[in-house]
Amino acid sequence: MASQQQLSVIKGAKVLMVGAGGIGCELLKTLALSGFQDIHIIDMDTIEVSNLNRQFLFRKSHVGLSKAKVARDAVLRFRPQVSITSYHANVKNQEFNVDFLKQFSVVLNGLDNLDARRHVNRLCLAADVPLVESGTTGFLGQVTVHVKGKTECYECQPKPAPKTYPVCTITSTPSKFVHCIVWAKDLLFTKLFGDKNQENDLNVRSSDPASSSDHAEDIFQLNKDETIEHYGRRVFDHVFGYNIEVALSNEDTWKNRNKPRPIYSRDILPEEPTKQNGNTDKNCATDDQSLISAMTSLGIKNPQEIWSLMENSRIFIEAIKLFFTKREKDVGNLAFDKDDQLAVEFVTAAANIRAESFGIPMHSLFESKGIAGNIVHAVATTNAIIAGLIVIEAIKVLQNDANNYRMTYCLEHPSRKMLLMPVEPFEPNKSCYVCSETPLSLEINTHHAKLRDFVEKIVKAKLGMNFPLIMHGAALLYEVGDDLDEDMVANYTANLEKVLSELPSPVVSGTILSVEDLQQELSCSINIKHRDEFDEEKEPDGMVLSGWQQTPLEKDDCNKTLGNGESTSKTLPSAPDADKYDDSDMVASGRKRKLDEAVNISGEANSSKKPEVLDDDDDDLVMLDDGDNGDPAINKKKRLQ
Amino acid sequence: MDGEELTEQETQLYDRQIRVWGADAQRRLSKAHILVCGMKGAVAEFCKNIVLAGIGSLTLVDNRLVTEEALSANFLIPPDESVFGGKSVAELCCDSLKDFNPMVRVSVIKGEPSSFDEEFLKTFDVIVVSCCSLAEKKSVNEKCRKLPKRVSFYTVDCRDSCGEIFVDLQDYKYAKKKLEDTVECQLSYPSFEDAISVPWKVHPRKVSKLFYALRVIERFEEAEGRSPGETSVSDLPGVLKLKKEICESQLLNEAHIPNALVERLVTNPTEFPPVCAIIGGILGQEVIKAVSGKGDPLKNFFYFDAVDGKGTIEDISSQS
């Protein structure tokens, strides 16, 4: 039971929750039970069947409805007197600006992606509203407190980039199943069913580029007078047969690698066998996309089973047929979606056939779906525990009890007898460009790089700004917004195509640019340094930003990379899955990595890295000591004063 | 594996958790029968968690009629007298829980934990008791231990901002993943009575203060004939006196059970909802582990106190 003092801050608080998914449902319930009276909740998502095993406020009949709205209604049923305001919207919308944030006593995040987390962090800093941040995967979870000037902000620690793979690994030399999945999903699927005009690395560069390029253009086009069966086999033979033969001709590639085996449909499937075996009727009577399934047509039931090469090949052809007959209008504008059964079946089959060709073990549809959809493991219990911890921290924040703020880890295996481990929060990182005013510096070729390159590669991709405004002294170089007049827009569009040194107000070595996001109310200055040459492999952007932290990408002999997820699919954002800290984040954040070392979650015992403990008996607290990890970017933890 | 495949409906609904514990664990869950006695906040949380997880059946015991206190941390009871009038707490919780997952059978049995016979108890795989007196805990635990099959026994209680879980899995074998291999592990648990009878002076170093404070209060409630959680500020002198006596006979430094902690627990025996969520979550995970035979189960007490934020496992068994 809460004390009187706690009850009074709880009753007076106005709380903003961002996210009504796995953590959100638990959090809304626990806030309401704890006596909170005024709760606002934002979530852009709608309910899906796979949410129901843990998002307990939702029922099967709610599938397709707004999470925020249904969660509100469900909680009002057991706590009707609480005021709950729901928003079925993206937290990045302009309506949720700094002024909107200022009305709240505390913001509680139950989000599923890095972008939105960074955005809310900036809004909270600008509005000076405390933020309690959280995330879970499987049995692991964490809760952190971010109070401006007192503790680090969400971005004080480097966040790892989403996992990407070198293009040549994907197109020519896959060695893991995930490489085959990325190939099947981002290249083949997109080529066959997505935007045909999109640049695509599907074809291996053959030794004779002139001959292959023409050939490649028509091969993925369904000819007017051919059957879909024929088309499917043609695609099959091209990507699993011909392309592999071409790749094999580059002998250097295979000096230290196992050679792949070309696979042709005639060797796997008897000629034209599946012609009207009657089973396709099962798919006939329906308009419901979710019921169109190659597995159903072929009578394959168990998604946990690994299919044979023949089964994969049949699914491959059948899926193409179904797309072209039952979902004709989707073809040409599809983006991979893990909740699209037929798309998952196609990608599983294609990835497995490619895996077989390269001697990589095949996987079940269930496993493939997890990899292709970046599905994060999630259970109800961890979310419930994390939600409880969020409320405990929120109450401390409301009481302004800074000495007792904690970040808490929920562990799968006990460390020092603890399953729930509180740690003192870190101090703000003085060189954080988000919460301190440290200038950044950018090395760039001012005679070659265009303003567009700077906007895309730095301002958007690295600084995470959505509505940037770029100024050189008093001169406005670029701006994004709804209320600009036409002349301005034309002017900015023209500027985008100019190289930096030829802008109306030239940007040269020594220039200080000021970059601002008006919605996030974040501004930073960037010192420009001209440099002529950049290493194509190590500096693929052709520019280097320093003072900004991100874990380096995996290095390889290619300078282009492909992600397994958001980064390459520009069309539909794949429906984010509930409660994850996107897999990159929760499990591998800088902080977590230290924790791994400190408490040996990974089981790799290293006694020199055990946490240092303040052993004053009553109040022992784990200190993370990163003394020997050699990373100067990571602050030592200090006691908050 | 267990042979039977999961249905398409199960695979779809349980997709995200099958990715955590695997399809065979999910199959074992769907065959587990669980009995819970005493439906307060932490137990409501626990029931929600295991119903969502997809256990086979859940049987609820709580004859109480709804009171203000029963409502406080329990989100399974609608606060509308026209709905709850005349129904027992267990019946009301049952109605809500059924709704969470139509694949789980949820039902209610009338009675008191101490009145259940072995014939009845042996139909379950897991028994969880809450808000029970010391004597009831001991008696149900002993009956479980006499059954022809192994039944997992748990107690759970929350008061003020604290919570306690006790686990008795008897002789428990489970599989544990070590790098690539799966190894068989075995643990031997003492009964509740044996665990609390271990002389305090032979306890491991630095056992949670909560263990001792809760034992003192439990003894006080038993001596005074109180229901569990039925204490108030006027009892504080009596409890502190008892604490002193027990510490003397157990040769434990009295300072190890801070009076401030005892005061919190005695004067504020109601539950704190965030702590119920945490304790109900940990208990849910433990029961899922025990049923699926996967992962290290905790042995044999768990404590959480929102004041220091630590969630600690204590192993108190005669061997140590």
Side-chain angles (χ1 to χ4, degrees), chain A residues 41 63 115 323 327 347 359 382 405 410 420 427 450 487 509 563:
Chain A
I41 181 163
V63 169
D115 264 3
F323 270 120
R327 292 177 57 185
V347 165
T382 315
Y405 296 163
C410 177
L420 302 175
E427 285 186 335
K450 290 178 181 167
D487 295 354
S509 213

Side-chain angles (χ1 to χ4, degrees), chain B residues 232-241 259 262-264 266-267:
Chain B
S232 66
V233 67
S234 61
D235 296 318
L236 193 57
V239 177
L240 291 176
K241 182 166 165 277
N259 286 353
V262 176
E263 184 178 343
R264 273 167 56 204
V266 169
T267 58

Side-chain angles (χ1 to χ4, degrees), chain B residues 37 174 194 225 227 267:
Chain B
C37 308
Y174 65 104
D194 288 345
S227 303
T267 58

